[in-house]
Amino acid sequence: FTTKCQGDGLIVATPTGSTAYSLSAGGSMVHPQVPGILFTPVCPHSLSFRPIVFPDTSKMKIKVSTDARSDHSVAFDGRQRQTLRRGDTVHVSVSAWPVPAICRVSETEDWFNGVRSLLHWNLRTAQKRDKSQKRGSSEN
């Protein structure tokens, strides 16, 4: 037993899967070469329940509490939604047969190019010069 959580949901993902979804819920960006399982709470009812990255050797058991107020559901990549009833359990582990990825340049460069272009990570518009200041003057 690690913890009991209350909130709107949990995101359980690998570094290459559900990166943007986990990130939008407050999870970390994790490089695909970091072997781990991302565990991100969605709108937790406690400020101390934070995202965590478990080792990829972890075996998780996520159980719907027997005193839960209602049924829950689980979805895999947003598809195949299944109802979970009180006492139901979902077992999570990393597959022994990972899906190979095709890289254009390298896994690292492709990943950073992807997060920059798709998520606009660390990109911003250049600031315009303040025209009220004279060149070469410093009035501080």
Side-chain angles (χ1 to χ4, degrees):
F1 178 78
T2 302
T3 189
K4 182 175 185 176
C5 92
Q6 291 181 326
D8 292 353
L10 290 172
I11 299 169
V12 181
T14 62
T16 54
S18 303
T19 300
Y21 189 47
S22 176
L23 188 64
S24 70
S28 296
M29 289 194 322
V30 180
H31 189 280
Q33 290 180 339
V34 175
I37 300 173
L38 288 68
F39 187 82
T40 308
V42 178
C43 299
H45 297 179
S46 168
L47 292 176
S48 63
F49 190 39
R50 309 303 306 156
I52 188 168
V53 178
F54 288 97
D56 67 341
T57 55
S58 298
K59 308 272 188 238
M60 293 185 187
K61 182 169 83 171
I62 301 169
K63 181 179 179 182
V64 178
S65 177
T66 55
D67 62 351
R69 292 187 298 173
S70 63
D71 290 343
H72 293 44
S73 62
V74 62
F76 306 94
D77 286 334
R79 299 182 185 137
Q80 302 171 343
R81 185 176 303 266
Q82 301 290 315
T83 299
L84 298 176
R85 306 206 187 285
R86 293 173 187 93
D88 284 352
T89 303
V90 175
H91 295 267
V92 179
S93 62
V94 172
S95 174
W97 302 279
V99 176
I102 298 172
C103 300
R104 293 179 74 191
V105 180
S106 72
E107 191 169 26
T108 296
E109 192 166 338
D110 288 359
W111 186 74
F112 277 110
N113 287 339
V115 295
R116 272 194 295 272
S117 67
L118 299 172
L119 302 177
H120 304 282
W121 177 71
N122 210 21
L123 297 177
R124 66 181 206 149
T125 304
Q127 294 180 345
K128 295 180 181 177
R129 178 181 292 248
D130 184 356
K131 294 180 182 179
S132 67
Q133 300 255 337
K134 293 182 181 179
R135 284 190 174 198
S137 69
S138 61
E139 298 182 18
N140 290 341

